[in-house]
CSV table of all heavy atoms in Angstrom, one decimal:
chain,number,residue,atom,x,y,z
D,28,LYS,N,-9.6,160.6,-82.5
D,28,LYS,CA,-9.4,160.5,-83.9
D,28,LYS,C,-10.1,159.3,-84.5
D,28,LYS,O,-10.7,159.3,-85.6
D,28,LYS,CB,-7.9,160.4,-84.3
D,28,LYS,CG,-7.1,161.6,-83.9
D,28,LYS,CD,-7.3,162.8,-84.8
D,28,LYS,CE,-6.4,164.0,-84.5
D,28,LYS,NZ,-6.6,165.1,-85.3
D,29,ASP,N,-10.1,158.2,-83.8
D,29,ASP,CA,-10.8,156.9,-84.2
D,29,ASP,C,-11.4,156.3,-83.0
D,29,ASP,O,-10.7,155.5,-82.3
D,29,ASP,CB,-9.7,156.0,-84.9
D,29,ASP,CG,-10.4,154.7,-85.4
D,29,ASP,OD1,-11.6,154.5,-85.2
D,29,ASP,OD2,-9.7,153.9,-86.0
D,30,PRO,N,-12.7,156.5,-82.8
D,30,PRO,CA,-13.4,155.9,-81.6
D,30,PRO,C,-13.5,154.4,-81.6
D,30,PRO,O,-13.9,153.8,-80.6
D,30,PRO,CB,-14.8,156.5,-81.7
D,30,PRO,CG,-14.6,157.8,-82.6
D,30,PRO,CD,-13.6,157.4,-83.6
D,31,ARG,N,-13.1,153.8,-82.7
D,31,ARG,CA,-13.1,152.3,-82.8
D,31,ARG,C,-11.7,151.7,-82.8
D,31,ARG,O,-11.5,150.6,-83.3
D,31,ARG,CB,-13.9,151.9,-84.1
D,31,ARG,CG,-15.3,152.3,-84.2
D,31,ARG,CD,-16.2,151.5,-83.4
D,31,ARG,NE,-16.3,150.1,-83.8
D,31,ARG,CZ,-16.9,149.2,-83.1
D,31,ARG,NH1,-17.5,149.4,-81.9
D,31,ARG,NH2,-16.9,147.9,-83.5
D,32,TYR,N,-10.8,152.4,-82.3
D,32,TYR,CA,-9.4,152.0,-82.3
D,32,TYR,C,-9.1,151.1,-81.1
D,32,TYR,O,-8.8,151.5,-80.0
D,32,TYR,CB,-8.5,153.3,-82.2
D,32,TYR,CG,-7.0,153.0,-82.6
D,32,TYR,CD1,-6.2,154.1,-82.7
D,32,TYR,CD2,-6.6,151.8,-83.0
D,32,TYR,CE1,-4.9,154.0,-83.1
D,32,TYR,CE2,-5.2,151.6,-83.4
D,32,TYR,CZ,-4.4,152.7,-83.4
D,32,TYR,OH,-3.1,152.5,-83.8
D,33,ALA,N,-9.3,149.8,-81.2
D,33,ALA,CA,-9.2,148.9,-80.1
D,33,ALA,C,-7.8,148.9,-79.5
D,33,ALA,O,-7.7,148.7,-78.2
D,33,ALA,CB,-9.5,147.5,-80.7
D,34,LEU,N,-6.8,149.0,-80.3
D,34,LEU,CA,-5.4,149.0,-79.7
D,34,LEU,C,-5.2,150.1,-78.7
D,34,LEU,O,-4.6,150.0,-77.7
D,34,LEU,CB,-4.4,149.1,-80.8
D,34,LEU,CG,-3.9,147.8,-81.4
D,34,LEU,CD1,-2.9,148.1,-82.5
D,34,LEU,CD2,-3.2,146.9,-80.3
D,35,ALA,N,-5.8,151.3,-79.0
D,35,ALA,CA,-5.7,152.4,-78.1
D,35,ALA,C,-6.4,152.2,-76.8
D,35,ALA,O,-6.0,152.6,-75.7
D,35,ALA,CB,-6.2,153.7,-78.8
D,36,PHE,N,-7.6,151.5,-76.9
D,36,PHE,CA,-8.3,151.2,-75.6
D,36,PHE,C,-7.5,150.2,-74.8
D,36,PHE,O,-7.4,150.2,-73.6
D,36,PHE,CB,-9.7,150.6,-76.0
D,36,PHE,CG,-10.7,151.6,-76.3
D,36,PHE,CD1,-11.1,151.8,-77.6
D,36,PHE,CD2,-11.2,152.4,-75.3
D,36,PHE,CE1,-12.1,152.8,-77.9
D,36,PHE,CE2,-12.2,153.4,-75.6
D,36,PHE,CZ,-12.6,153.6,-76.9
D,37,ALA,N,-6.8,149.2,-75.5
D,37,ALA,CA,-6.0,148.3,-74.8
D,37,ALA,C,-4.8,149.0,-74.1
D,37,ALA,O,-4.4,148.6,-73.0
D,37,ALA,CB,-5.5,147.2,-75.8
D,38,GLY,N,-4.3,150.0,-74.8
D,38,GLY,CA,-3.2,150.8,-74.3
D,38,GLY,C,-3.6,151.5,-73.0
D,38,GLY,O,-2.9,151.6,-72.0
D,39,LEU,N,-4.8,152.1,-73.0
D,39,LEU,CA,-5.4,152.8,-71.8
D,39,LEU,C,-5.5,151.7,-70.7
D,39,LEU,O,-5.2,152.0,-69.5
D,39,LEU,CB,-6.7,153.4,-72.1
D,39,LEU,CG,-6.8,154.7,-72.8
D,39,LEU,CD1,-8.2,155.1,-73.1
D,39,LEU,CD2,-6.1,155.8,-72.0
D,40,SER,N,-6.0,150.5,-71.0
D,40,SER,CA,-6.1,149.5,-70.0
D,40,SER,C,-4.7,149.2,-69.3
D,40,SER,O,-4.6,149.1,-68.1
D,40,SER,CB,-6.6,148.2,-70.6
D,40,SER,OG,-6.6,147.2,-69.7
D,41,ASP,N,-3.7,149.1,-70.2
D,41,ASP,CA,-2.3,148.8,-69.7
D,41,ASP,C,-1.8,150.0,-68.8
D,41,ASP,O,-1.2,149.7,-67.8
D,41,ASP,CB,-1.4,148.6,-70.8
D,41,ASP,CG,-1.7,147.4,-71.6
D,41,ASP,OD1,-2.4,146.5,-71.1
D,41,ASP,OD2,-1.3,147.3,-72.8
D,42,CYS,N,-2.1,151.2,-69.1
D,42,CYS,CA,-1.7,152.3,-68.3
D,42,CYS,C,-2.4,152.3,-66.9
D,42,CYS,O,-1.7,152.4,-65.9
D,42,CYS,CB,-2.1,153.6,-69.0
D,42,CYS,SG,-1.1,154.1,-70.5
D,43,TYR,N,-3.7,152.1,-66.9
D,43,TYR,CA,-4.4,152.2,-65.6
D,43,TYR,C,-4.0,150.9,-64.8
D,43,TYR,O,-4.0,151.0,-63.5
D,43,TYR,CB,-5.9,152.3,-65.8
D,43,TYR,CG,-6.3,153.7,-66.2
D,43,TYR,CD1,-6.7,154.0,-67.5
D,43,TYR,CD2,-6.3,154.7,-65.3
D,43,TYR,CE1,-7.0,155.3,-67.9
D,43,TYR,CE2,-6.6,156.0,-65.6
D,43,TYR,CZ,-7.0,156.3,-66.9
D,43,TYR,OH,-7.3,157.6,-67.2
D,44,ALA,N,-3.7,149.8,-65.4
D,44,ALA,CA,-3.3,148.6,-64.7
D,44,ALA,C,-2.0,148.9,-64.0
D,44,ALA,O,-1.8,148.5,-62.8
D,44,ALA,CB,-3.2,147.4,-65.7
D,45,LEU,N,-1.1,149.5,-64.7
D,45,LEU,CA,0.2,149.8,-64.0
D,45,LEU,C,0.1,150.9,-62.9
D,45,LEU,O,0.7,150.8,-61.9
D,45,LEU,CB,1.2,150.3,-65.1
D,45,LEU,CG,1.8,149.3,-66.0
D,45,LEU,CD1,2.9,149.9,-66.9
D,45,LEU,CD2,2.4,148.1,-65.2
D,46,ILE,N,-0.8,151.8,-63.1
D,46,ILE,CA,-1.1,152.8,-62.1
D,46,ILE,C,-1.6,152.1,-60.8
D,46,ILE,O,-1.2,152.4,-59.7
D,46,ILE,CB,-2.1,153.9,-62.6
D,46,ILE,CG1,-1.4,154.8,-63.6
D,46,ILE,CG2,-2.6,154.7,-61.4
D,46,ILE,CD1,-2.4,155.7,-64.4
D,47,GLY,N,-2.5,151.2,-61.0
D,47,GLY,CA,-3.1,150.4,-59.9
D,47,GLY,C,-2.0,149.5,-59.3
D,47,GLY,O,-1.9,149.4,-58.0
D,48,PHE,N,-1.2,148.8,-60.1
D,48,PHE,CA,-0.3,147.8,-59.6
D,48,PHE,C,0.8,148.5,-58.8
D,48,PHE,O,1.2,148.0,-57.7
D,48,PHE,CB,0.3,147.1,-60.8
D,48,PHE,CG,1.3,146.0,-60.3
D,48,PHE,CD1,0.8,144.8,-59.9
D,48,PHE,CD2,2.7,146.2,-60.4
D,48,PHE,CE1,1.7,143.8,-59.5
D,48,PHE,CE2,3.6,145.2,-60.0
D,48,PHE,CZ,3.1,144.0,-59.5
D,49,PHE,N,1.3,149.6,-59.3
D,49,PHE,CA,2.4,150.3,-58.6
D,49,PHE,C,1.9,151.3,-57.6
D,49,PHE,O,2.7,152.0,-56.9
D,49,PHE,CB,3.3,151.1,-59.6
D,49,PHE,CG,4.1,150.2,-60.5
D,49,PHE,CD1,4.0,150.1,-61.8
D,49,PHE,CD2,5.1,149.3,-59.9
D,49,PHE,CE1,4.8,149.3,-62.6
D,49,PHE,CE2,5.9,148.5,-60.7
D,49,PHE,CZ,5.7,148.5,-62.0
D,50,ASN,N,0.5,151.4,-57.5
D,50,ASN,CA,-0.1,152.3,-56.5
D,50,ASN,C,0.4,153.8,-56.6
D,50,ASN,O,0.6,154.4,-55.6
D,50,ASN,CB,0.1,151.8,-55.1
D,50,ASN,CG,-0.9,152.3,-54.1
D,50,ASN,OD1,-2.1,152.6,-54.5
D,50,ASN,ND2,-0.6,152.4,-52.8
D,51,TYR,N,0.5,154.2,-57.9
D,51,TYR,CA,0.9,155.6,-58.1
D,51,TYR,C,-0.3,156.5,-57.6
D,51,TYR,O,-1.4,156.2,-57.7
D,51,TYR,CB,1.1,155.9,-59.6
D,51,TYR,CG,2.4,155.3,-60.2
D,51,TYR,CD1,2.4,154.6,-61.4
D,51,TYR,CD2,3.6,155.4,-59.5
D,51,TYR,CE1,3.5,154.1,-61.9
D,51,TYR,CE2,4.8,154.9,-60.0
D,51,TYR,CZ,4.7,154.2,-61.2
D,51,TYR,OH,5.9,153.7,-61.7
D,52,ASP,N,0.1,157.7,-57.1
D,52,ASP,CA,-0.9,158.6,-56.5
D,52,ASP,C,-1.6,159.4,-57.6
D,52,ASP,O,-1.7,160.6,-57.5
D,52,ASP,CB,-0.3,159.5,-55.4
D,52,ASP,CG,0.8,160.3,-55.9
D,52,ASP,OD1,1.3,160.1,-57.1
D,52,ASP,OD2,1.3,161.2,-55.2
D,53,ILE,N,-2.1,158.7,-58.6
D,53,ILE,CA,-2.9,159.3,-59.6
D,53,ILE,C,-4.4,159.0,-59.3
D,53,ILE,O,-5.3,159.9,-59.4
D,53,ILE,CB,-2.5,158.9,-61.0
D,53,ILE,CG1,-1.1,159.2,-61.3
D,53,ILE,CG2,-3.5,159.5,-62.1
D,53,ILE,CD1,-0.5,158.6,-62.6
D,54,LEU,N,-4.6,157.7,-59.0
D,54,LEU,CA,-6.0,157.2,-58.7
D,54,LEU,C,-5.8,156.2,-57.6
D,54,LEU,O,-4.8,155.5,-57.5
D,54,LEU,CB,-6.6,156.6,-59.9
D,54,LEU,CG,-7.2,157.5,-61.0
D,54,LEU,CD1,-7.6,156.6,-62.2
D,54,LEU,CD2,-8.4,158.3,-60.6
D,55,PRO,N,-6.8,156.0,-56.8
D,55,PRO,CA,-6.8,154.8,-55.9
D,55,PRO,C,-6.7,153.5,-56.7
D,55,PRO,O,-7.2,153.4,-57.8
D,55,PRO,CB,-8.2,154.9,-55.2
D,55,PRO,CG,-8.6,156.3,-55.3
D,55,PRO,CD,-8.1,156.8,-56.6
D,56,ALA,N,-5.9,152.5,-56.2
D,56,ALA,CA,-5.6,151.3,-56.9
D,56,ALA,C,-6.9,150.6,-57.4
D,56,ALA,O,-7.0,150.2,-58.6
D,56,ALA,CB,-4.8,150.4,-56.0
D,57,HIS,N,-7.9,150.5,-56.5
D,57,HIS,CA,-9.1,149.8,-57.0
D,57,HIS,C,-9.8,150.5,-58.1
D,57,HIS,O,-10.4,149.9,-59.0
D,57,HIS,CB,-10.1,149.7,-55.8
D,57,HIS,CG,-10.8,150.9,-55.3
D,57,HIS,ND1,-10.1,151.8,-54.5
D,57,HIS,CD2,-12.0,151.5,-55.6
D,57,HIS,CE1,-11.0,152.8,-54.3
D,57,HIS,NE2,-12.1,152.7,-55.0
D,58,GLU,N,-9.8,151.9,-58.1
D,58,GLU,CA,-10.4,152.6,-59.2
D,58,GLU,C,-9.6,152.5,-60.5
D,58,GLU,O,-10.2,152.3,-61.6
D,58,GLU,CB,-10.5,154.1,-58.8
D,58,GLU,CG,-11.3,155.0,-59.7
D,58,GLU,CD,-11.5,156.4,-59.2
D,58,GLU,OE1,-11.5,156.6,-58.0
D,58,GLU,OE2,-11.7,157.3,-60.1
D,59,ALA,N,-8.3,152.5,-60.4
D,59,ALA,CA,-7.4,152.4,-61.6
D,59,ALA,C,-7.6,151.0,-62.2
D,59,ALA,O,-7.8,150.9,-63.4
D,59,ALA,CB,-6.0,152.6,-61.2
D,60,MET,N,-7.7,150.0,-61.4
D,60,MET,CA,-7.9,148.6,-61.9
D,60,MET,C,-9.2,148.4,-62.5
D,60,MET,O,-9.4,147.7,-63.5
D,60,MET,CB,-7.6,147.6,-60.8
D,60,MET,CG,-6.1,147.4,-60.4
D,60,MET,SD,-5.2,146.7,-61.9
D,60,MET,CE,-3.7,146.2,-61.1
D,61,SER,N,-10.2,149.0,-61.9
D,61,SER,CA,-11.6,148.9,-62.5
D,61,SER,C,-11.6,149.6,-63.9
D,61,SER,O,-12.2,149.0,-64.8
D,61,SER,CB,-12.6,149.7,-61.6
D,61,SER,OG,-13.9,149.7,-62.1
D,62,MET,N,-10.9,150.7,-64.0
D,62,MET,CA,-10.9,151.4,-65.3
D,62,MET,C,-10.1,150.5,-66.3
D,62,MET,O,-10.4,150.4,-67.5
D,62,MET,CB,-10.2,152.8,-65.2
D,62,MET,CG,-11.1,153.8,-64.4
D,62,MET,SD,-10.3,155.4,-64.3
D,62,MET,CE,-10.4,156.0,-65.9
D,63,ALA,N,-9.0,149.9,-65.8
D,63,ALA,CA,-8.2,149.0,-66.7
D,63,ALA,C,-9.0,147.9,-67.3
D,63,ALA,O,-9.0,147.6,-68.5
D,63,ALA,CB,-7.0,148.5,-65.9
D,64,LYS,N,-9.9,147.3,-66.4
D,64,LYS,CA,-10.7,146.2,-66.9
D,64,LYS,C,-11.8,146.7,-67.9
D,64,LYS,O,-12.0,146.1,-68.9
D,64,LYS,CB,-11.4,145.5,-65.7
D,64,LYS,CG,-12.3,144.3,-66.1
D,64,LYS,CD,-12.8,143.6,-64.9
D,64,LYS,CE,-13.6,142.4,-65.3
D,64,LYS,NZ,-14.1,141.6,-64.1
D,65,SER,N,-12.3,147.9,-67.6
D,65,SER,CA,-13.3,148.4,-68.5
D,65,SER,C,-12.8,148.7,-69.8
D,65,SER,O,-13.4,148.4,-70.9
D,65,SER,CB,-13.9,149.7,-67.8
D,65,SER,OG,-14.8,150.4,-68.7
D,66,PHE,N,-11.6,149.3,-69.9
D,66,PHE,CA,-11.0,149.6,-71.2
D,66,PHE,C,-10.6,148.3,-72.0
D,66,PHE,O,-10.7,148.3,-73.2
D,66,PHE,CB,-9.8,150.5,-71.0
D,66,PHE,CG,-10.1,152.0,-70.7
D,66,PHE,CD1,-9.6,152.6,-69.6
D,66,PHE,CD2,-11.0,152.7,-71.6
D,66,PHE,CE1,-10.0,153.9,-69.3
D,66,PHE,CE2,-11.3,154.0,-71.3
D,66,PHE,CZ,-10.8,154.6,-70.2
D,67,ALA,N,-10.1,147.3,-71.2
D,67,ALA,CA,-9.8,146.1,-71.9
D,67,ALA,C,-11.1,145.4,-72.5
D,67,ALA,O,-11.0,144.9,-73.7
D,67,ALA,CB,-9.2,145.1,-70.9
D,68,LEU,N,-12.2,145.5,-71.8
D,68,LEU,CA,-13.4,144.9,-72.3
D,68,LEU,C,-13.9,145.7,-73.5
D,68,LEU,O,-14.5,145.1,-74.4
D,68,LEU,CB,-14.5,144.9,-71.2
D,68,LEU,CG,-14.2,143.9,-70.0
D,68,LEU,CD1,-15.2,144.1,-68.9
D,68,LEU,CD2,-14.3,142.4,-70.6
D,69,LYS,N,-13.7,147.0,-73.5
D,69,LYS,CA,-14.1,147.9,-74.6
D,69,LYS,C,-13.3,147.5,-75.8
D,69,LYS,O,-13.9,147.4,-76.9
D,69,LYS,CB,-13.9,149.3,-74.2
D,69,LYS,CG,-14.2,150.3,-75.4
D,69,LYS,CD,-15.7,150.3,-75.8
D,69,LYS,CE,-16.0,151.3,-76.9
D,69,LYS,NZ,-17.4,151.2,-77.3
D,70,ALA,N,-12.0,147.3,-75.6
D,70,ALA,CA,-11.2,146.9,-76.8
D,70,ALA,C,-11.7,145.5,-77.3
D,70,ALA,O,-11.7,145.4,-78.6
D,70,ALA,CB,-9.7,146.8,-76.3
D,71,LEU,N,-12.0,144.6,-76.5
D,71,LEU,CA,-12.5,143.3,-76.9
D,71,LEU,C,-13.9,143.4,-77.6
D,71,LEU,O,-14.2,142.6,-78.5
D,71,LEU,CB,-12.5,142.3,-75.8
D,71,LEU,CG,-11.1,141.9,-75.3
D,71,LEU,CD1,-11.2,141.1,-74.0
D,71,LEU,CD2,-10.4,141.0,-76.3
D,72,GLU,N,-14.6,144.3,-77.1
D,72,GLU,CA,-16.0,144.5,-77.8
D,72,GLU,C,-15.8,145.0,-79.2
D,72,GLU,O,-16.6,144.6,-80.1
D,72,GLU,CB,-16.7,145.6,-77.0
D,72,GLU,CG,-18.1,146.0,-77.5
D,72,GLU,CD,-18.7,147.2,-76.8
D,72,GLU,OE1,-18.6,147.2,-75.6
D,72,GLU,OE2,-19.2,148.1,-77.5
D,73,ILE,N,-14.8,145.7,-79.5
D,73,ILE,CA,-14.5,146.2,-80.8
D,73,ILE,C,-13.8,145.1,-81.7
D,73,ILE,O,-14.2,144.9,-82.8
D,73,ILE,CB,-13.6,147.4,-80.8
D,73,ILE,CG1,-14.3,148.6,-80.1
D,73,ILE,CG2,-13.1,147.9,-82.2
D,73,ILE,CD1,-13.4,149.8,-79.7
D,74,ASP,N,-12.8,144.4,-81.0
D,74,ASP,CA,-12.1,143.3,-81.8
D,74,ASP,C,-11.8,142.2,-80.8
D,74,ASP,O,-10.8,142.3,-80.0
D,74,ASP,CB,-10.8,143.9,-82.4
D,74,ASP,CG,-10.1,142.9,-83.2
D,74,ASP,OD1,-10.5,141.7,-83.2
D,74,ASP,OD2,-9.0,143.2,-83.8
């Protein structure tokens, strides 16, 4: 709905960080954490 919604990107980062931290069988931890960092940086790029 809003491709420049920084808070939503930060929210995605938080989700993938927890998936990696708790090692949920959704994604390998290293992949989840890499996505978490990427989404956090995207949010900061916007704001």
